């Protein structure tokens, strides 16, 4: 057991470091920032979209994302930090929630002191309207700024 403890601790630290990346994206084709709109009107390659959508819509991915969100919220409740959340945690949880529920969107998520900004593109008004309520389901989100735009998918 004494030999296993350092491996477990280093695994947890490695996971924590990987989870703290800035500019969480819902797909590889999403803009790099919530303030850039350089690719907002040009659709991504069809093969890339299909690959991203099939991964995001898989039942395993949905279950995993929801489980991760619940685990983070439970961990946060245990530590007594219900209202105060790390910006990286909020970004990651909101991104996961949006990725699972808005599968055809290309969104970026930024968080600062409980204020979440979501930018990018979604294929229709229905998905655009889902962004704010979904983001507010995450504990610690005080306000949501949605700067995403509707860009319909190209006809095939």
């Amino acid at each position: 057991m004494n030999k296993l403890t350092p491996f477990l601790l280093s695994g947890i630290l490695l996971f924590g470091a990987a989870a703290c990346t800035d500019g969480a994206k819902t797909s590889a084709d999403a803009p790099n920032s919530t303030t850039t709109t350089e690719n907002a009107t040009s659709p991504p390659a069809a093969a890339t979209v299909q690959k991203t959508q099939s991964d995001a819509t898989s039942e395993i991915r949905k279950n995993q994302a929801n489980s991760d969100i619940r685990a983070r919220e439970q961990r946060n409740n245990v530590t007594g930090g219900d209202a105060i959340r790390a910006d990286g945690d909020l970004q990651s949880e909101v991104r996961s929630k949006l990725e699972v529920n808005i599968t055809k969107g290309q969104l970026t998520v930024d968080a600062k002191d409980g204020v979440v900004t979501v930018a990018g593109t979604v294929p229709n008004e229905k998905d655009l309207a889902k962004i704010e309520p979904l983001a507010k389901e995450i504990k610690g989100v005080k306000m949501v700024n949605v700067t995403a735009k509707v860009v319909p998918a190209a006809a095939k």
Side-chain angles (χ1 to χ4, degrees):
M1 184 67 179
N2 286 339
K3 292 181 180 181
L4 184 61
T5 303
F7 289 115
L8 290 173
L9 289 175
S10 45
I12 291 169
L13 289 174
L14 181 62
F15 176 75
C20 291
T21 59
D22 289 335
K25 297 181 182 182
T26 57
S27 77
D29 296 327
N32 288 330
S33 167
T34 57
T35 58
T36 62
T37 58
E38 57 205 36
N39 289 333
T41 58
S42 62
T48 304
V49 171
Q50 282 182 330
K51 182 179 178 215
T52 303
Q53 288 172 358
S54 65
D55 176 50
T57 57
S58 75
E59 200 60 37
I60 293 170
R61 175 68 182 117
K62 286 181 183 180
N63 292 339
Q64 178 187 19
N66 287 327
S67 176
D68 287 349
I69 290 167
R70 280 191 306 274
R72 286 181 186 177
E73 288 180 351
Q74 288 171 352
R75 182 180 63 235
N76 199 47
N77 289 342
V78 168
T79 60
D82 289 1
I84 301 172
R85 305 291 301 273
D87 291 343
D89 257 359
L90 287 178
Q91 278 179 220
S92 179
E93 288 184 43
V94 170
R95 177 186 43 80
S96 293
K97 190 80 164 177
L98 294 176
E99 186 177 77
V100 169
N101 291 285
I102 305 174
T103 57
K104 296 180 182 178
Q106 294 180 353
L107 301 169
T108 59
V109 178
D110 285 328
K112 181 74 173 158
D113 300 326
V115 177
V116 174
T117 302
V118 181
T121 62
V122 292
N124 55 52
E125 290 289 334
K126 181 180 169 190
D127 286 339
L128 185 64
K130 284 188 201 176
I131 293 173
E132 186 173 355
L134 287 170
K136 285 185 174 179
E137 288 179 10
I138 305 299
K139 287 184 181 179
V141 173
K142 297 173 186 168
M143 191 170 102
V144 180
N145 294 323
V146 179
T147 60
K149 295 181 178 14
V150 175
V151 177
K156 294 184 180 188

